[in-house]
Amino acid sequence: MTYTFKLSRRIAGFRAPMLAALFASLAGCNGTDTLGPDSSAPAAPGGETSGPSLVTSNFAGGVPFGLFAQPTTAFGSRYNGAMVNIWPQFLLAELAKIKASGGRTVVIFVGNQEYYKDASGHFDFGKWKARVDRFRSVDIAPYIADGTIIGHYLVDEPNDPANWAGQPISPATVDAMAQYSKAIWPTMTTIARVEPSYFPTTPRYLDAAWAQYLARRGDAGDYVRRNVSDAKARNMGLIVGLNVLKGGNPNGTTMSASEVQTYGTALLSSTYSCAFISWTWDSGYLGGSSMGSAMDALRRQASNRSTTSCRSGSTAPVPSPSPTPTPTPTPEPSPTPTVDTPLPFGLFQAPMDEYSSRWTGSLYRAEPSDLAERLAKAEGAKMKLVVSMAPPSRVKNSDGTFNLTKWKAQVDQFRSLSLNQAISNRTLYAHSVIESPNCASCWGGRAISWATVEEMARYSKSIWPSLPTT
């Protein structure tokens, strides 16, 4: 995908808090590494009687202005808008912080496209729905009502065949995705990152399109006028922004500060857009004084625009809320510890003769030939083992960088072992899929991306669905 977004996942701690004591004792293995994280809408036409309020206690007014994957800490005098991807269990806390800082944000629930493609790389509607369903139990209604949530970002570049193995997602399917969202959250705006001209007629359920400008698309003023005209013709809202990292001139370079200010000013010349959100956050790129001045100039212009809802003028009825679906057969998180579940406590690589009442946990770098013996000994001593199956030295390329294929080959050596009982009784406590992925110097100068770490966890779950990954 030439100009698609890389939607980063906010890493905010381990899923199972009971690992904390064990990993506190492990932290000394590399002191330089960290384990930290990678609107007033008028009543909508068409019979709806309520929409998000465009007035919140802290929002300064105007058009929300910011970037994709923007850290919560960056909301303030320069940026007050964003597009974020947050796990369900952390969403409410982050929304509260964004609201308190006077911010507003577009939210995505489905994450990286790889989670909702079939084996051929085509869009899989069923998988997409399952990703959305993870948020059904999160009470985001107050943040929809007060405008903190600008809207639900359904999909990125459905029109680009390169994203979907040669088969773009049809406009009808995009609208069906919006319908599915409305069935769960009837008053939440639905958004797709595609220009409005992709839709031959007014969508029934999709509220807003997205015009992301790159220099190769011609004059910025002409570009925004065309997209505003197309959006109005289809009764759609419109979000605008810049591709600051790959949209400069010539040949998709990063935009200079002067380009950012010139192109952004052209986009803001129209009062139709409801938000200005650019791709994507990069602290190094954004940190210079000239870029800061350019962004400040655009923020002032955005603040002087009238606050506009992204809701469409569609006359389609809001679908009846759908029942909560039968849970899909995805692995459940580890159970919450109780007073009857002791917290594992121990050290890296404790020898077997130390498995005792003193130590109740350890991280073991396993070999297929002796894992069964280790687990039997641990079970007898009531020990919990976090197991690493792929030593770092065996999963590197010749230049020291990480090789996912080699990693999978190492893990595959354990497929034939009978581990279900040890997993069930929690002697095999968790699979440590990798150590220090964020340490660039550990991996040939190139840190392992969180998307790759997540793929490793997915691969582990495909073999041992109930084994926690860390």
Side-chain angles (χ1 to χ4, degrees):
M1 61 189 78
T2 308
Y3 288 103
T4 195
F5 300 123
K6 307 302 181 187
L7 303 176
S8 62
R9 182 184 301 275
R10 188 179 301 276
I11 305 300
F14 293 108
R15 179 173 292 176
M18 66 188 78
L19 290 171
L22 176 61
F23 278 88
S25 66
L26 306 184
C29 67
N30 189 337
T32 64
D33 295 348
T34 64
L35 292 172
D38 167 56
S39 309
S40 179
E48 294 181 26
T49 58
S50 64
S53 169
L54 289 175
V55 179
T56 62
S57 58
N58 296 312
F59 183 64
V63 174
F65 175 77
L67 297 106
F68 270 65
Q70 181 175 298
T72 304
T73 53
F75 283 85
S77 60
R78 178 170 294 167
Y79 305 112
N80 67 344
M83 203 295 293
V84 297
N85 174 30
I86 304 171
W87 291 359
Q89 60 266 47
F90 308 124
L91 182 59
L92 292 181
E94 292 302 304
L95 288 173
K97 294 175 186 176
I98 291 170
K99 178 180 178 179
S101 65
R104 291 183 169 176
T105 187
V106 176
V107 292
I108 184 169
F109 294 153
V110 292
N112 191 287
Q113 294 172 356
E114 299 307 315
Y115 289 116
Y116 43 98
K117 291 180 179 179
D118 62 21
S120 299
H122 305 138
F123 175 73
D124 187 316
F125 201 0
K127 288 184 177 180
W128 183 91
K129 290 178 180 178
R131 297 289 293 178
V132 172
D133 288 341
R134 300 175 305 143
F135 290 81
R136 281 179 175 266
S137 62
V138 183
D139 183 14
I140 58 175
Y143 296 105
I144 297 171
D146 66 20
T148 300
I149 293 178
I150 297 170
H152 179 190
Y153 187 104
L154 304 173
V155 69
D156 181 49
E157 293 185 327
N159 59 315
D160 188 349
N163 293 348
W164 311 103
Q167 292 184 10
I169 305 173
S170 71
T173 299
V174 175
D175 204 36
M177 296 157 75
Q179 180 182 12
Y180 191 80
S181 175
K182 296 282 190 184
I184 306 170
W185 303 284
T187 61
M188 183 158 61
T189 300
T190 50
I191 301 164
R193 217 274 294 188
V194 64
E195 293 178 9
S197 60
Y198 189 57
F199 300 93
T201 58
T202 301
R204 287 176 55 82
Y205 299 100
L206 183 70
D207 291 303
W210 200 304
Q212 200 84 41
Y213 178 74
L214 307 92
R216 66 182 177 86
R217 289 179 175 161
D219 180 81
D222 291 341
Y223 176 79
V224 72
R225 283 188 290 272
R226 182 177 70 253
N227 276 280
V228 166
S229 176
D230 289 341
K232 287 181 176 179
R234 292 160 177 78
N235 263 343
M236 300 181 75
L238 184 68
I239 295 176
V240 299
L242 303 171
N243 187 328
V244 297
L245 294 188
K246 293 185 177 181
N249 210 2
N251 302 323
T253 57
T254 56
M255 288 185 181
S256 66
S258 61
E259 285 181 311
V260 167
Q261 188 165 345
T262 299
Y263 299 149
T265 297
L267 296 186
L268 287 166
S269 65
S270 170
T271 60
Y272 187 81
S273 60
C274 57
F276 188 114
I277 300 174
S278 298
W279 185 80
T280 181
W281 183 267
D282 183 307
S283 56
Y285 170 78
L286 296 168
S289 59
S290 59
M291 187 59 68
S293 297
M295 291 295 183
D296 287 340
L298 295 181
R299 167 62 192 271
R300 288 192 294 270
Q301 295 177 53
S303 296
N304 288 330
R305 297 294 180 269
S306 58
T307 304
T308 305
S309 172
C310 293
R311 294 294 292 272
S312 76
S314 171
T315 58
V318 175
S320 300
S322 60
T324 301
T326 303
T328 53
T330 52
E332 293 297 322
S334 303
T336 302
T338 69
V339 293
D340 297 322
T341 306
L343 192 68
F345 172 78
L347 299 162
F348 248 79
Q349 291 291 86
M352 272 201 296
D353 57 13
E354 287 288 337
Y355 289 8
S356 66
S357 59
R358 174 182 297 169
W359 312 114
T360 57
S362 180
L363 187 144
Y364 167 54
R365 289 176 175 145
E367 294 288 346
S369 59
D370 65 3
L371 179 57
E373 180 185 3
R374 283 270 183 170
L375 291 172
K377 174 70 174 179
E379 183 176 357
K382 298 184 178 180
M383 289 275 290
K384 310 292 186 187
L385 296 186
V386 177
V387 173
S388 169
M389 301 181 185
S393 61
R394 301 179 191 172
V395 296
K396 292 181 178 181
N397 296 308
S398 58
D399 60 359
T401 55
F402 178 73
N403 186 310
L404 181 59
T405 300
K406 288 185 177 181
W407 180 90
K408 289 180 178 180
Q410 288 293 312
V411 172
D412 286 343
Q413 297 181 81
F414 293 83
R415 280 179 177 269
S416 61
L417 300 183
S418 180
L419 303 178
N420 289 339
Q421 179 179 339
I423 294 171
S424 177
N425 64 28
R426 309 202 67 201
T427 301
L428 180 44
Y429 196 66
H431 180 190
S432 175
V433 297
I434 199 67
E435 296 173 25
S436 304
N438 58 319
C439 171
S441 62
C442 303
W443 300 101
R446 187 186 304 165
I448 304 171
S449 72
W450 286 117
T452 301
V453 175
E454 183 77 347
E455 167 58 19
M456 295 154 76
R458 185 206 63 77
Y459 192 77
S460 174
K461 294 283 190 186
S462 72
I463 306 170
W464 305 286
S466 59
L467 178 63
T469 51
T470 184

